[in-house]
Amino acid sequence: MGYRFRYAVLLALVAPIPLNCSTALAAEQFEDRLLTTPATPEVIASGLEIDGYHLGISAYAWGYPLVRMERVVRDYTDVSGKVPATSYRGPLNQFGLATELATPSAKDMPTANNDTFYMSAVVALDQPYVLSAPDTADRYYVIDVFNMWQELEHYIGRRATGTKAGRFVIVPPGWKGDVPSDAIRLDVTTDKVWLWGRLRVAQGEPVEPLLALQKQFTLKPLDGKSGIKELPPLPSIAGDELGFLKHLGFALKDNAIKPADQALFAQFARMGLTKDGFDETKLSPEMRTGVIRAMADGPAMVVSSFASTSEVRNGWTWVTGLDSFGFNYPMRALVAGAYLGGNGEKEAMYPVRYTDADNQVLSGGNKYVLKMDEAPPVDAFWSLTMYNADDKMLVENPIQRYKVGTDTQGLKTAADGSMTIAIQNEKPQDAGVNWLPAPKGDFYLILRLYQPRDVVLDGTYKMPEVTRLK
């Protein structure tokens, strides 16, 4: 009986429900507007403009880092004019060395730090190049190896490879051969790379030994023979509404597209962007209108990626994942723009502050206090740096102080180890605080944490608040 009962229950469960059963479920009907949209001239014209806009936005976010890098490598190798001491420009395949810390007059790099001498080298890899680094006796330095998509492929320096003297061979894609046995091989994915270096300078220390140390960072072709002497100029795009796409098309001729990006890139052929360049004659008038609108809206879309991919801790905004952007093209573009050359979080963290504790924009018309219960937990050093909101440059001030940090001379610390930083335009009356001069207008702050400890990376460390004085 038990078997027959169970069999009967099973039949009842799997038996089909009669269509005429009063308990029958009616199939839900879904609206499908594509089936009812006519192919009228008006609809097609509207659709072409929308398609152009969609493609243009995607191409801008995806391709901006490549365009930015192709422009930058030409700027940073242009030594035809006078090169200021804060600049790191240098001839192709050679290091350019800044011999002074950045000041408000240093316009090459937005949000430049005031902690390190910068080093820069653009390398055209017609063959492997050997980078030789001296023993820095534990002095902090890092050289980031960026491909032409502004992606970090390798670190050389205190955290990653130590500070003993070493040799590193940068190997272009597809090269076959052996590197010296005493060197570390670093394979890269593009035929040009940007080496972006930082060498710590403590405030007030003699710079002559550091200048001599800088010169011991060298680049040489593996076979000892001089390679490519200069890069061809980018096409002129003055006054061209589609100039960005023309530069992107030009750059794509010499830079490989990742296999994972091939499907996305293939879509751009509909607006005339292929591996052969950009052909604007492929654009219908309607699609052209959409693409031009996309070029105008692209920057705002990229900047908005802050909201979806950043993390806010106690009012500070910071971005992780700079070592591997994955498919987050807008974030990659954002970093390639105003934050060009930023390290990944294990090397350095860059929390940014635009507002006070009441979520009001930071302005030199107000006075603020930032109190740290203790120095930030880092294995290298830290700094809090002030920038103008409009041009992203350091702030001119009467005491020429652009940051407060580990090496600030006369840094005032309370008996309990806490530090109070007065952030305002005018000199504070309280002699027990550390003054970080602000401009009269809007500004923002960056708290740089070099070699942050795990408590910073995992969010345990509580970021200091910025409070407006009433």
Side-chain angles (χ1 to χ4, degrees):
M1 291 292 292
Y3 169 78
R4 291 180 179 177
F5 175 76
R6 289 195 299 272
Y7 181 69
V9 171
L10 179 61
L11 286 175
L13 289 174
V14 302
I17 299 174
L19 292 177
N20 60 354
C21 177
S22 60
T23 60
L25 299 177
E28 182 179 356
Q29 299 298 308
F30 302 100
E31 181 184 15
D32 189 338
R33 294 184 61 184
L34 179 58
L35 300 180
T36 59
T37 298
T40 62
E42 293 78 14
V43 167
I44 291 175
S46 174
L48 285 171
E49 181 177 344
I50 294 169
D51 192 31
Y53 184 77
H54 158 72
L55 292 171
I57 286 288
S58 294
Y60 185 88
W62 174 78
Y64 177 86
L66 182 60
V67 172
R68 169 80 160 140
M69 287 292 288
E70 288 288 355
R71 292 170 176 173
V72 162
V73 298
R74 286 162 173 82
D75 285 343
Y76 289 2
T77 54
D78 181 4
V79 291
S80 58
K82 183 179 179 180
V83 179
T86 58
S87 178
Y88 29 79
R89 294 173 180 247
L92 190 67
N93 301 326
Q94 297 179 37
F95 272 113
L97 305 172
T99 56
E100 292 181 5
L101 292 175
T103 65
S105 63
K107 303 298 185 182
D108 274 351
M109 173 65 64
T111 64
N113 77 51
N114 187 245
D115 306 314
T116 68
F117 283 161
Y118 282 120
M119 299 180 283
S120 173
V122 177
V123 190
L125 296 168
D126 58 332
Q127 63 171 300
Y129 266 71
V130 181
L131 189 162
S132 296
D135 187 338
T136 67
D138 199 46
R139 178 179 293 273
Y140 178 87
Y141 86 92
V142 63
I143 296 176
D144 302 331
V145 182
F146 285 98
N147 67 20
M148 290 303 292
W149 295 92
Q150 217 275 316
E151 296 170 333
L152 269 164
E153 298 205 303
H154 302 284
Y155 291 98
I156 300 168
R158 184 174 185 265
R159 180 190 63 84
T161 60
T163 61
K164 297 293 185 183
R167 297 208 299 163
F168 307 87
V169 183
I170 303 168
V171 178
W175 184 82
K176 306 294 183 182
D178 297 322
V179 302
S181 59
D182 65 341
I184 297 175
R185 176 174 175 146
L186 302 177
D187 288 275
V188 296
T189 58
T190 55
D191 292 329
K192 293 192 294 292
V193 293
W194 177 41
L195 306 181
W196 183 227
R198 301 165 175 87
L199 178 68
R200 187 191 176 189
V201 181
Q203 186 178 17
E205 73 171 315
V207 298
E208 288 76 13
L210 297 184
L211 299 179
L213 185 63
Q214 273 187 312
K215 293 177 181 178
Q216 297 178 52
F217 289 89
T218 62
L219 272 173
K220 294 182 179 178
L222 183 61
D223 67 4
K225 301 176 182 178
S226 298
I228 300 171
K229 297 295 186 182
E230 62 182 13
L231 301 174
L234 291 171
S236 174
I237 57 170
D240 191 336
E241 294 178 300
L242 299 173
F244 172 85
L245 292 174
K246 290 182 179 178
H247 273 185
L248 178 55
F250 179 88
L252 287 170
K253 294 177 182 179
D254 294 320
N255 291 280
I257 298 164
K258 296 179 181 179
D261 289 351
Q262 290 289 351
L264 172 66
F265 178 68
Q267 306 304 309
F268 301 148
R270 295 205 304 278
M271 64 173 182
L273 180 65
T274 68
K275 188 65 178 171
D276 295 325
F278 175 59
D279 183 0
E280 64 179 303
T281 65
K282 300 294 185 181
L283 293 172
S284 66
E286 297 85 0
M287 184 172 277
R288 183 186 181 93
T289 298
V291 171
I292 290 173
R293 185 161 58 93
M295 295 300 101
D297 290 350
M301 182 275 298
V302 164
V303 170
S304 73
S305 66
F306 245 141
S308 60
T309 58
S310 62
E311 182 177 353
V312 179
R313 298 183 189 173
N314 210 28
W316 293 83
T317 301
W318 53 14
V319 176
T320 58
L322 272 65
D323 286 310
S324 180
F325 292 108
F327 295 108
N328 194 340
Y329 304 123
M331 179 53 64
R332 184 178 67 176
L334 177 65
V335 172
Y339 307 100
L340 181 74
N343 286 297
E345 58 265 28
K346 290 183 179 180
E347 187 68 38
M349 292 289 285
Y350 305 94
V352 183
R353 186 88 195 211
Y354 297 96
T355 58
D356 62 21
D358 298 320
N359 204 34
Q360 299 300 306
V361 173
L362 296 173
S363 170
N366 302 316
K367 298 179 180 180
Y368 306 92
V369 168
L370 181 150
K371 183 177 180 181
M372 295 181 177
D373 294 333
E374 59 183 354
V378 294
D379 287 328
F381 57 102
W382 65 273
S383 65
L384 178 71
T385 311
M386 166 78 62
Y387 297 95
N388 283 306
D390 54 355
D391 63 4
K392 298 180 172 58
M393 297 298 167
L394 296 166
V395 172
E396 190 65 72
N397 64 83
I399 63 172
Q400 296 183 332
R401 176 180 287 175
Y402 312 113
K403 67 176 182 186
V404 172
T406 301
D407 57 9
T408 297
Q409 292 182 327
L411 185 67
K412 300 176 179 67
T413 304
D416 62 358
S418 65
M419 289 171 285
T420 299
I421 301 173
I423 303 169
Q424 57 190 64
N425 179 251
E426 298 178 353
K427 183 178 180 179
Q429 298 299 314
D430 186 351
V433 301
N434 302 283
W435 181 31
L436 181 58
K440 293 182 178 180
D442 293 348
F443 63 88
Y444 66 97
L445 304 166
I446 292 184
L447 179 59
R448 287 182 169 84
L449 306 170
Y450 295 88
Q451 291 187 233
R453 295 177 185 165
D454 288 343
V455 291
V456 177
L457 297 172
D458 65 18
T460 303
Y461 170 64
K462 185 178 180 180
M463 297 293 297
E465 189 57 272
V466 178
T467 304
R468 180 167 63 90
L469 298 178
K470 306 299 184 182

